[in-house]
Amino acid sequence: QVQLVESGGGLVQAGGSLRLACAASGTIYVINAMAWYRQVPGKERELVARIGGGGWTNYVDSVKGRFTISRDNAQKTAYLQMNNLKPEDTAVYYCNADLRRWSIDSANSYWGQGTQVTVSS
């Protein structure tokens, strides 16, 4: 069993900051990439930021220069530092991990339960 548990969401005023964390637990051989997605009601889930095992990153254009994704491989944890938050960043943020549970296993995608981020104007 693999679990991804997010934390750090909440309510913040525009211009403020939040730091999300996603901790993976369970039988895990290797985590290839970790990512943060977000979703608002009535819209598709969108990729916000992604980080590979070697540390490469990519971001959706709307958060470049404001958000930073990082990971601690030893702790199997990914972080999303969100600065200069805007009301349009309001969404449920989901953690995603592409991982293998055993050395002979193929990679599969796992999701956390989501954490609400609300930015007031």
PDB file of all heavy atoms in Angstrom, residues 2 4 32-35 37 45 50 95-101 105-112:
ATOM      1  N   VAL A   2       0.530   2.202  -0.824  1.00  0.00           N
ATOM      2  CA  VAL A   2       1.255   3.470  -0.890  1.00  0.00           C
ATOM      3  C   VAL A   2       0.298   4.591  -0.515  1.00  0.00           C
ATOM      4  O   VAL A   2      -0.853   4.604  -0.955  1.00  0.00           O
ATOM      5  CB  VAL A   2       1.821   3.725  -2.297  1.00  0.00           C
ATOM      6  CG1 VAL A   2       2.363   5.138  -2.414  1.00  0.00           C
ATOM      7  CG2 VAL A   2       2.900   2.710  -2.629  1.00  0.00           C
ATOM      8  N   LEU A   4       0.051   8.935  -0.101  1.00  0.00           N
ATOM      9  CA  LEU A   4       0.593  10.287  -0.241  1.00  0.00           C
ATOM     10  C   LEU A   4      -0.263  11.187   0.626  1.00  0.00           C
ATOM     11  O   LEU A   4      -1.478  11.259   0.430  1.00  0.00           O
ATOM     12  CB  LEU A   4       0.547  10.757  -1.695  1.00  0.00           C
ATOM     13  CG  LEU A   4       1.305   9.933  -2.730  1.00  0.00           C
ATOM     14  CD1 LEU A   4       1.138  10.558  -4.113  1.00  0.00           C
ATOM     15  CD2 LEU A   4       2.771   9.840  -2.384  1.00  0.00           C
ATOM     16  N   ASN A  32      10.126   8.144  -9.116  1.00  0.00           N
ATOM     17  CA  ASN A  32      10.702   8.761 -10.297  1.00  0.00           C
ATOM     18  C   ASN A  32      10.469  10.264 -10.302  1.00  0.00           C
ATOM     19  O   ASN A  32      11.386  11.056 -10.279  1.00  0.00           O
ATOM     20  CB  ASN A  32      10.113   8.145 -11.563  1.00  0.00           C
ATOM     21  CG  ASN A  32      10.460   6.671 -11.678  1.00  0.00           C
ATOM     22  OD1 ASN A  32      11.564   6.265 -11.325  1.00  0.00           O
ATOM     23  ND2 ASN A  32       9.525   5.876 -12.154  1.00  0.00           N
ATOM     24  N   ALA A  33       9.237  10.665 -10.308  1.00  0.00           N
ATOM     25  CA  ALA A  33       8.897  12.088 -10.341  1.00  0.00           C
ATOM     26  C   ALA A  33       7.782  12.353  -9.354  1.00  0.00           C
ATOM     27  O   ALA A  33       6.960  11.479  -9.062  1.00  0.00           O
ATOM     28  CB  ALA A  33       8.467  12.516 -11.741  1.00  0.00           C
ATOM     29  N   MET A  34       7.776  13.557  -8.826  1.00  0.00           N
ATOM     30  CA  MET A  34       6.694  14.006  -7.968  1.00  0.00           C
ATOM     31  C   MET A  34       6.163  15.309  -8.539  1.00  0.00           C
ATOM     32  O   MET A  34       6.923  16.090  -9.136  1.00  0.00           O
ATOM     33  CB  MET A  34       7.168  14.185  -6.532  1.00  0.00           C
ATOM     34  CG  MET A  34       7.686  12.900  -5.918  1.00  0.00           C
ATOM     35  SD  MET A  34       8.081  13.027  -4.163  1.00  0.00           S
ATOM     36  CE  MET A  34       6.428  12.896  -3.441  1.00  0.00           C
ATOM     37  N   ALA A  35       4.893  15.519  -8.362  1.00  0.00           N
ATOM     38  CA  ALA A  35       4.280  16.697  -8.977  1.00  0.00           C
ATOM     39  C   ALA A  35       3.148  17.222  -8.114  1.00  0.00           C
ATOM     40  O   ALA A  35       2.608  16.509  -7.265  1.00  0.00           O
ATOM     41  CB  ALA A  35       3.763  16.353 -10.372  1.00  0.00           C
ATOM     42  N   TYR A  37      -0.556  19.127  -8.702  1.00  0.00           N
ATOM     43  CA  TYR A  37      -1.637  19.522  -9.591  1.00  0.00           C
ATOM     44  C   TYR A  37      -2.629  20.353  -8.782  1.00  0.00           C
ATOM     45  O   TYR A  37      -2.606  20.327  -7.546  1.00  0.00           O
ATOM     46  CB  TYR A  37      -2.359  18.289 -10.150  1.00  0.00           C
ATOM     47  CG  TYR A  37      -1.603  17.506 -11.179  1.00  0.00           C
ATOM     48  CD1 TYR A  37      -0.500  16.713 -10.830  1.00  0.00           C
ATOM     49  CD2 TYR A  37      -1.978  17.528 -12.519  1.00  0.00           C
ATOM     50  CE1 TYR A  37       0.194  15.980 -11.781  1.00  0.00           C
ATOM     51  CE2 TYR A  37      -1.305  16.796 -13.474  1.00  0.00           C
ATOM     52  CZ  TYR A  37      -0.226  16.019 -13.102  1.00  0.00           C
ATOM     53  OH  TYR A  37       0.456  15.295 -14.051  1.00  0.00           O
ATOM     54  N   ARG A  45      -8.195  19.110 -13.882  1.00  0.00           N
ATOM     55  CA  ARG A  45      -7.012  19.195 -13.031  1.00  0.00           C
ATOM     56  C   ARG A  45      -5.825  19.612 -13.897  1.00  0.00           C
ATOM     57  O   ARG A  45      -5.616  19.063 -14.980  1.00  0.00           O
ATOM     58  CB  ARG A  45      -6.760  17.835 -12.382  1.00  0.00           C
ATOM     59  CG  ARG A  45      -5.769  17.836 -11.265  1.00  0.00           C
ATOM     60  CD  ARG A  45      -5.757  16.483 -10.539  1.00  0.00           C
ATOM     61  NE  ARG A  45      -7.019  16.204  -9.874  1.00  0.00           N
ATOM     62  CZ  ARG A  45      -7.211  15.158  -9.067  1.00  0.00           C
ATOM     63  NH1 ARG A  45      -6.208  14.320  -8.831  1.00  0.00           N
ATOM     64  NH2 ARG A  45      -8.378  14.962  -8.494  1.00  0.00           N
ATOM     65  N   ARG A  50       6.447  20.068 -11.450  1.00  0.00           N
ATOM     66  CA  ARG A  50       6.882  18.680 -11.463  1.00  0.00           C
ATOM     67  C   ARG A  50       8.378  18.654 -11.224  1.00  0.00           C
ATOM     68  O   ARG A  50       9.098  19.540 -11.709  1.00  0.00           O
ATOM     69  CB  ARG A  50       6.526  18.057 -12.805  1.00  0.00           C
ATOM     70  CG  ARG A  50       6.791  16.582 -12.957  1.00  0.00           C
ATOM     71  CD  ARG A  50       6.297  16.119 -14.323  1.00  0.00           C
ATOM     72  NE  ARG A  50       6.664  14.764 -14.652  1.00  0.00           N
ATOM     73  CZ  ARG A  50       5.938  13.689 -14.362  1.00  0.00           C
ATOM     74  NH1 ARG A  50       4.799  13.839 -13.738  1.00  0.00           N
ATOM     75  NH2 ARG A  50       6.349  12.487 -14.714  1.00  0.00           N
ATOM     76  N   CYS A  95      -1.114  16.137  -4.694  1.00  0.00           N
ATOM     77  CA  CYS A  95       0.223  15.599  -4.901  1.00  0.00           C
ATOM     78  C   CYS A  95       0.124  14.346  -5.772  1.00  0.00           C
ATOM     79  O   CYS A  95      -0.823  13.558  -5.634  1.00  0.00           O
ATOM     80  CB  CYS A  95       0.846  15.251  -3.553  1.00  0.00           C
ATOM     81  SG  CYS A  95       2.466  14.469  -3.655  1.00  0.00           S
ATOM     82  N   ASN A  96       1.096  14.182  -6.637  1.00  0.00           N
ATOM     83  CA  ASN A  96       1.169  13.003  -7.502  1.00  0.00           C
ATOM     84  C   ASN A  96       2.587  12.464  -7.471  1.00  0.00           C
ATOM     85  O   ASN A  96       3.551  13.228  -7.480  1.00  0.00           O
ATOM     86  CB  ASN A  96       0.769  13.381  -8.924  1.00  0.00           C
ATOM     87  CG  ASN A  96       0.974  12.245  -9.897  1.00  0.00           C
ATOM     88  OD1 ASN A  96       2.021  12.137 -10.522  1.00  0.00           O
ATOM     89  ND2 ASN A  96      -0.019  11.389 -10.019  1.00  0.00           N
ATOM     90  N   ALA A  97       2.706  11.146  -7.446  1.00  0.00           N
ATOM     91  CA  ALA A  97       4.021  10.521  -7.489  1.00  0.00           C
ATOM     92  C   ALA A  97       4.008   9.396  -8.504  1.00  0.00           C
ATOM     93  O   ALA A  97       3.073   8.583  -8.523  1.00  0.00           O
ATOM     94  CB  ALA A  97       4.416   9.991  -6.125  1.00  0.00           C
ATOM     95  N   ASP A  98       5.032   9.370  -9.320  1.00  0.00           N
ATOM     96  CA  ASP A  98       5.247   8.279 -10.276  1.00  0.00           C
ATOM     97  C   ASP A  98       6.339   7.392  -9.681  1.00  0.00           C
ATOM     98  O   ASP A  98       7.483   7.830  -9.559  1.00  0.00           O
ATOM     99  CB  ASP A  98       5.684   8.871 -11.613  1.00  0.00           C
ATOM    100  CG  ASP A  98       5.871   7.807 -12.671  1.00  0.00           C
ATOM    101  OD1 ASP A  98       4.861   7.293 -13.162  1.00  0.00           O
ATOM    102  OD2 ASP A  98       7.036   7.495 -12.977  1.00  0.00           O
ATOM    103  N   LEU A  99       5.963   6.181  -9.266  1.00  0.00           N
ATOM    104  CA  LEU A  99       6.914   5.390  -8.502  1.00  0.00           C
ATOM    105  C   LEU A  99       6.790   3.906  -8.796  1.00  0.00           C
ATOM    106  O   LEU A  99       5.812   3.437  -9.382  1.00  0.00           O
ATOM    107  CB  LEU A  99       6.703   5.661  -7.000  1.00  0.00           C
ATOM    108  CG  LEU A  99       5.344   5.315  -6.393  1.00  0.00           C
ATOM    109  CD1 LEU A  99       5.270   3.864  -5.947  1.00  0.00           C
ATOM    110  CD2 LEU A  99       5.038   6.221  -5.200  1.00  0.00           C
ATOM    111  N   ARG A 100       7.845   3.197  -8.375  1.00  0.00           N
ATOM    112  CA  ARG A 100       7.844   1.746  -8.436  1.00  0.00           C
ATOM    113  C   ARG A 100       7.867   1.205  -7.021  1.00  0.00           C
ATOM    114  O   ARG A 100       8.675   1.640  -6.193  1.00  0.00           O
ATOM    115  CB  ARG A 100       9.060   1.244  -9.223  1.00  0.00           C
ATOM    116  CG  ARG A 100       8.980   1.492 -10.721  1.00  0.00           C
ATOM    117  CD  ARG A 100      10.110   0.770 -11.434  1.00  0.00           C
ATOM    118  NE  ARG A 100      11.393   1.400 -11.253  1.00  0.00           N
ATOM    119  CZ  ARG A 100      12.568   0.782 -11.385  1.00  0.00           C
ATOM    120  NH1 ARG A 100      12.610  -0.507 -11.689  1.00  0.00           N
ATOM    121  NH2 ARG A 100      13.688   1.445 -11.220  1.00  0.00           N
ATOM    122  N   ARG A 101       7.045   0.220  -6.761  1.00  0.00           N
ATOM    123  CA  ARG A 101       6.971  -0.333  -5.419  1.00  0.00           C
ATOM    124  C   ARG A 101       8.051  -1.387  -5.181  1.00  0.00           C
ATOM    125  O   ARG A 101       8.510  -1.580  -4.067  1.00  0.00           O
ATOM    126  CB  ARG A 101       5.591  -0.930  -5.176  1.00  0.00           C
ATOM    127  CG  ARG A 101       4.476   0.099  -5.230  1.00  0.00           C
ATOM    128  CD  ARG A 101       3.180  -0.474  -4.718  1.00  0.00           C
ATOM    129  NE  ARG A 101       3.316  -0.810  -3.297  1.00  0.00           N
ATOM    130  CZ  ARG A 101       2.445  -1.578  -2.643  1.00  0.00           C
ATOM    131  NH1 ARG A 101       1.405  -2.092  -3.267  1.00  0.00           N
ATOM    132  NH2 ARG A 101       2.607  -1.825  -1.369  1.00  0.00           N
ATOM    133  N   ASP A 105       9.018  -3.981 -10.555  1.00  0.00           N
ATOM    134  CA  ASP A 105       7.704  -3.412 -10.827  1.00  0.00           C
ATOM    135  C   ASP A 105       7.797  -2.342 -11.917  1.00  0.00           C
ATOM    136  O   ASP A 105       8.854  -1.727 -12.125  1.00  0.00           O
ATOM    137  CB  ASP A 105       7.160  -2.777  -9.537  1.00  0.00           C
ATOM    138  CG  ASP A 105       5.671  -2.545  -9.600  1.00  0.00           C
ATOM    139  OD1 ASP A 105       5.022  -3.108 -10.500  1.00  0.00           O
ATOM    140  OD2 ASP A 105       5.163  -1.788  -8.750  1.00  0.00           O
ATOM    141  N   SER A 106       6.730  -2.155 -12.647  1.00  0.00           N
ATOM    142  CA  SER A 106       6.641  -1.019 -13.542  1.00  0.00           C
ATOM    143  C   SER A 106       6.138   0.184 -12.761  1.00  0.00           C
ATOM    144  O   SER A 106       5.558   0.035 -11.687  1.00  0.00           O
ATOM    145  CB  SER A 106       5.704  -1.318 -14.714  1.00  0.00           C
ATOM    146  OG  SER A 106       4.427  -1.660 -14.235  1.00  0.00           O
ATOM    147  N   ALA A 107       6.386   1.360 -13.279  1.00  0.00           N
ATOM    148  CA  ALA A 107       5.989   2.577 -12.576  1.00  0.00           C
ATOM    149  C   ALA A 107       4.486   2.778 -12.652  1.00  0.00           C
ATOM    150  O   ALA A 107       3.845   2.480 -13.661  1.00  0.00           O
ATOM    151  CB  ALA A 107       6.709   3.778 -13.158  1.00  0.00           C
ATOM    152  N   ASN A 108       3.927   3.268 -11.554  1.00  0.00           N
ATOM    153  CA  ASN A 108       2.514   3.616 -11.498  1.00  0.00           C
ATOM    154  C   ASN A 108       2.357   4.988 -10.867  1.00  0.00           C
ATOM    155  O   ASN A 108       3.255   5.474 -10.171  1.00  0.00           O
ATOM    156  CB  ASN A 108       1.743   2.568 -10.688  1.00  0.00           C
ATOM    157  CG  ASN A 108       1.564   1.274 -11.444  1.00  0.00           C
ATOM    158  OD1 ASN A 108       0.768   1.186 -12.370  1.00  0.00           O
ATOM    159  ND2 ASN A 108       2.328   0.267 -11.069  1.00  0.00           N
ATOM    160  N   SER A 109       1.204   5.577 -11.102  1.00  0.00           N
ATOM    161  CA  SER A 109       0.931   6.926 -10.611  1.00  0.00           C
ATOM    162  C   SER A 109       0.018   6.851  -9.392  1.00  0.00           C
ATOM    163  O   SER A 109      -0.976   6.126  -9.404  1.00  0.00           O
ATOM    164  CB  SER A 109       0.265   7.748 -11.719  1.00  0.00           C
ATOM    165  OG  SER A 109       0.054   9.078 -11.310  1.00  0.00           O
ATOM    166  N   TYR A 110       0.370   7.619  -8.362  1.00  0.00           N
ATOM    167  CA  TYR A 110      -0.407   7.646  -7.133  1.00  0.00           C
ATOM    168  C   TYR A 110      -0.769   9.091  -6.805  1.00  0.00           C
ATOM    169  O   TYR A 110      -0.004  10.021  -7.120  1.00  0.00           O
ATOM    170  CB  TYR A 110       0.394   7.034  -5.979  1.00  0.00           C
ATOM    171  CG  TYR A 110       0.653   5.570  -6.148  1.00  0.00           C
ATOM    172  CD1 TYR A 110       1.719   5.122  -6.928  1.00  0.00           C
ATOM    173  CD2 TYR A 110      -0.165   4.613  -5.539  1.00  0.00           C
ATOM    174  CE1 TYR A 110       1.960   3.777  -7.110  1.00  0.00           C
ATOM    175  CE2 TYR A 110       0.074   3.258  -5.715  1.00  0.00           C
ATOM    176  CZ  TYR A 110       1.127   2.843  -6.496  1.00  0.00           C
ATOM    177  OH  TYR A 110       1.370   1.506  -6.673  1.00  0.00           O
ATOM    178  N   TRP A 111      -1.916   9.243  -6.121  1.00  0.00           N
ATOM    179  CA  TRP A 111      -2.429  10.577  -5.788  1.00  0.00           C
ATOM    180  C   TRP A 111      -2.682  10.724  -4.299  1.00  0.00           C
ATOM    181  O   TRP A 111      -3.078   9.767  -3.630  1.00  0.00           O
ATOM    182  CB  TRP A 111      -3.744  10.823  -6.529  1.00  0.00           C
ATOM    183  CG  TRP A 111      -3.594  10.938  -8.009  1.00  0.00           C
ATOM    184  CD1 TRP A 111      -3.681   9.927  -8.919  1.00  0.00           C
ATOM    185  CD2 TRP A 111      -3.320  12.125  -8.748  1.00  0.00           C
ATOM    186  NE1 TRP A 111      -3.478  10.423 -10.186  1.00  0.00           N
ATOM    187  CE2 TRP A 111      -3.255  11.772 -10.107  1.00  0.00           C
ATOM    188  CE3 TRP A 111      -3.139  13.467  -8.410  1.00  0.00           C
ATOM    189  CZ2 TRP A 111      -3.010  12.696 -11.131  1.00  0.00           C
ATOM    190  CZ3 TRP A 111      -2.894  14.393  -9.411  1.00  0.00           C
ATOM    191  CH2 TRP A 111      -2.841  14.007 -10.751  1.00  0.00           C
ATOM    192  N   GLY A 112      -2.487  11.935  -3.824  1.00  0.00           N
ATOM    193  CA  GLY A 112      -2.904  12.260  -2.476  1.00  0.00           C
ATOM    194  C   GLY A 112      -4.370  12.655  -2.467  1.00  0.00           C
ATOM    195  O   GLY A 112      -5.030  12.711  -3.498  1.00  0.00           O
TER     196      GLY A 112
END
